[in-house]
């Protein structure tokens, strides 16, 4: 993987460009299903200006934020980040989103997750990466499992959507688990 730290089979991780990407992100944030898949807060449309301001506020020494771009045509697909909860313990928290519905279920998220895990374990020297996912998003659970994440626990009936209670599922992957997967794929 020499020289390909940020590149997968389908995607590459790139620096965000708030000016150029804000309109795309704002369009995604108008889609209530997209918003409900990535946040426990009530769905609410947001403006491009809000994205630019939030990005500038959120960038800190412990947050590594990337945009996901398609290798085929360099179009913006989504974003992925790792927030380091505890440097001393080597633990990070990953978040991912794929914006346009037409790009869902095509392997972009799984590929981006594999790239960010390589970055987390080789560049950041983390020991563990964790995430959470909502029970009503089985497509994401399958994608995370393909990347090597295992279910570590859940908070039962944590949130309500459309008159039903849903669990929040916590998943994680350890460096040695990731290394076994990479070795098997080589």
């Amino acid at each position: 993987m020499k020289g390909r730290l940020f590149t997968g089979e389908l995607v590459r991780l790139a620096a965000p460009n708030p000016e150029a990407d804000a309109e795309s992100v704002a369009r995604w944030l108008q889609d209530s299903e997209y918003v409900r898949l990535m946040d426990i807060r009530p769905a609410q449309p947001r403006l491009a200006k809000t994205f630019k301001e939030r990005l500038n506020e959120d960038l800190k020494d412990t947050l590594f934020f990337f945009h996901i771009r398609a290798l085929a045509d360099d179009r913006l697909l989504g974003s992925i980040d790792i927030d380091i909860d505890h440097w001393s313990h080597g633990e990070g928290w990953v978040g991912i989103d794929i914006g346009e519905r037409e790009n869902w279920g095509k392997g972009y998220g799984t590929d981006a997750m594999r790239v960010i895990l390589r970055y987390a374990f080789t560049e950041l020297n983390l020991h563990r990466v964790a995430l959470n996912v909502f029970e009503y998003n089985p497509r994401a659970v399958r994608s995370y499992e393909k990347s090597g994440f295992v279910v570590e626990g859940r908070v039962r009936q944590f949130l309500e959507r459309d008159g039903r209670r849903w669990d929040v599922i916590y998943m994680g992957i350890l460096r040695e688990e990731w290394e076994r997967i990479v070795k098997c794929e080589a």
Side-chain angles (χ1 to χ4, degrees):
M1 264 308 131
K2 196 171 187 178
R4 290 183 40 124
L5 181 63
F6 302 111
T7 306
E9 299 298 318
L10 301 171
V11 304
R12 71 180 179 88
L13 305 188
N17 182 337
E19 294 302 319
D21 300 336
E23 291 303 321
S24 293
V25 174
R27 187 176 58 254
W28 304 341
L29 292 169
Q30 302 302 309
D31 183 339
S32 61
E33 185 176 357
Y34 167 83
V35 174
R36 284 177 154 196
L37 290 173
M38 61 178 244
D39 201 342
I40 63 170
R41 293 178 291 189
Q44 173 184 351
R46 297 186 180 106
L47 302 171
K49 179 182 173 189
T50 305
F51 163 72
K52 287 188 248 184
E53 290 170 355
R54 184 172 165 257
L55 183 60
N56 290 330
E57 289 172 10
D58 282 352
L59 292 179
K60 54 188 178 184
D61 291 343
T62 62
L63 181 68
F64 299 85
F65 182 87
F66 303 93
H67 272 168
I68 302 167
R69 295 198 167 273
L71 283 180
D73 57 11
D74 203 45
R75 77 185 179 284
L76 179 62
L77 299 170
S79 63
I80 192 165
D81 64 73
I82 295 181
D83 194 359
I84 309 302
D85 290 334
H86 306 284
W87 276 113
S88 60
H89 300 299
E91 180 183 43
W93 192 266
V94 67
I96 184 172
D97 65 85
I98 301 295
E100 304 288 347
R101 290 180 191 222
E102 66 199 35
N103 296 320
W104 296 358
K106 296 195 174 177
Y108 296 125
T110 301
D111 193 44
M113 188 61 75
R114 289 178 178 150
V115 175
I116 202 78
L117 288 174
R118 180 173 62 228
Y119 180 76
F121 293 125
T122 64
E123 189 70 14
L124 300 179
N125 197 31
L126 296 181
H127 176 72
R128 179 177 179 276
V129 176
L131 59 79
N132 70 337
V133 60
F134 308 129
E135 178 186 20
Y136 57 77
N137 193 354
R139 184 177 57 243
V141 173
R142 283 190 305 276
S143 174
Y144 302 148
E145 288 172 340
K146 285 182 200 174
S147 299
F149 284 85
V150 297
V151 173
E152 296 180 331
R154 61 178 58 226
V155 179
R156 296 176 303 143
Q157 299 184 9
F158 180 78
L159 70 136
E160 188 273 330
R161 292 278 196 243
D162 300 322
R164 179 171 169 199
R165 302 299 302 189
W166 299 91
D167 296 354
V168 175
I169 302 167
Y170 288 87
M171 302 179 80
I173 183 170
L174 303 175
R175 177 196 292 259
E176 60 261 21
E177 294 167 336
W178 174 80
E179 288 171 343
R180 280 194 300 271
I181 291 167
V182 170
K183 189 175 182 178
C184 289
E185 291 175 349

